[in-house]
Amino acid sequence: MLHLADSLTFSGRKVVAAWAALPLPALAGSSLPDVLSAHQQEVPWKFLSSWKEQKSSCCFAQSVVLRGICKERPGSCPGQPQPHLQSCESPEELLQQYLHTQFPGAFSTSHVLQQPCDTQHPFPQFFSPLLTRRGFLQDKAQAFPSAGVESIPVLAALQSSPLLQPLLSGLCRELRAPRLRRRSCSCTAGLEHDDFQEALEELKTLSQCYQTGFGADGSEDEADSD
């Protein structure tokens, strides 16, 4: 994981964000072009962090993995897939074209695996009753035996993204709070005040590496006088 994150970071960046659609919303019997065409307006994954919900509208670099939907099934699902997706010759090429459309200019690597994510016991059964045993959407909920959902299709990504700028600068502001700063300096063995301040400056500098020049958050400067 460390080497993968390192391959996605440059220009002073060191942090990547994790995203996942678990499961990937897909109708039973859908082909891969059908599934991706259904999400042309917005990628269906969610940010895997306790940070407030954000939209992933752009990124610098990313590594994406799709599992459980890789075979073509022409005509299996109603609706017309986008022509630029339908013309792709392989699942990998199709996913790469989709990422290029959603994140133009970003460096993207993609992998498509036929095997879905296994969700049998002891995986928690927190899924919607609208899912089939294989994790695909259906019109009506059905009662499952105790086995529940056995597998799901998944779309996941690690991204070096401007979204990390407010997250890192927010963390910096929290750590600058006087009460937390005093507690950190007194409770952390071997951490001197100067070392703590240096670490805060490094964190602030790191957050600035994720600015894109539009809507940059400079509110942490107000905390510098603290």
Side-chain angles (χ1 to χ4, degrees):
M1 185 66 73
L2 178 62
H3 292 300
L4 177 57
D6 186 61
S7 69
L8 299 174
T9 52
F10 42 85
S11 301
R13 306 180 188 109
K14 300 179 181 179
V15 182
V16 293
W19 301 79
L22 190 144
L24 171 63
L27 294 174
S30 299
S31 68
L32 186 50
D34 292 330
V35 174
L36 296 182
S37 294
H39 301 287
Q40 287 292 307
Q41 299 301 317
E42 183 179 343
V43 180
W45 55 41
K46 300 294 183 182
F47 189 30
L48 301 184
S49 170
S50 58
W51 187 253
K52 59 188 177 181
E53 181 70 18
Q54 297 281 351
K55 299 297 183 182
S56 175
S57 58
C58 66
C59 70
F60 307 115
Q62 62 183 342
S63 179
V64 181
V65 176
L66 174 65
R67 297 184 59 173
I69 306 177
C70 65
K71 287 187 177 180
E72 297 288 345
R73 298 173 186 173
S76 59
C77 182
Q80 295 297 322
Q82 297 295 318
H84 67 281
L85 295 179
Q86 190 69 42
S87 62
C88 295
E89 296 183 357
S90 68
E92 290 78 11
E93 182 184 349
L94 198 157
L95 179 58
Q96 191 69 25
Q97 180 62 42
Y98 174 76
L99 295 174
H100 176 73
T101 302
Q102 296 294 322
F103 304 95
F107 169 75
S108 299
T109 63
S110 58
H111 305 275
V112 179
L113 306 177
Q114 180 177 352
Q115 183 180 10
C117 180
D118 184 18
T119 56
Q120 298 186 63
H121 182 78
F123 198 96
Q125 290 295 311
F126 49 65
F127 301 107
S128 165
L130 291 176
L131 292 183
T132 67
R133 287 178 178 270
R134 300 302 178 189
F136 292 94
L137 291 170
Q138 56 189 353
D139 294 332
K140 292 192 216 176
Q142 294 184 4
F144 294 139
S146 58
V149 178
E150 298 177 353
S151 65
I152 54 173
V154 175
L155 180 66
L158 289 179
Q159 282 188 346
S160 175
S161 165
L163 173 68
L164 290 164
Q165 192 277 328
L167 189 153
L168 293 171
S169 61
L171 176 60
C172 189
R173 286 194 300 272
E174 291 291 329
L175 292 173
R176 286 183 186 276
R179 180 175 60 85
L180 182 57
R181 183 172 58 205
R182 287 195 298 270
R183 184 172 62 182
S184 298
C185 292
S186 61
C187 296
T188 305
L191 181 62
E192 300 293 337
H193 177 75
D194 290 345
D195 295 332
F196 182 68
Q197 290 300 319
E198 181 180 354
L200 284 179
E201 287 303 315
E202 291 178 354
L203 182 59
K204 177 183 175 182
T205 300
L206 178 61
S207 73
Q208 293 171 345
C209 292
Y210 291 88
Q211 292 180 356
T212 59
F214 298 96
D217 183 4
S219 58
E220 69 270 11
D221 293 336
E222 298 177 0
D224 290 347
S225 59
D226 172 54

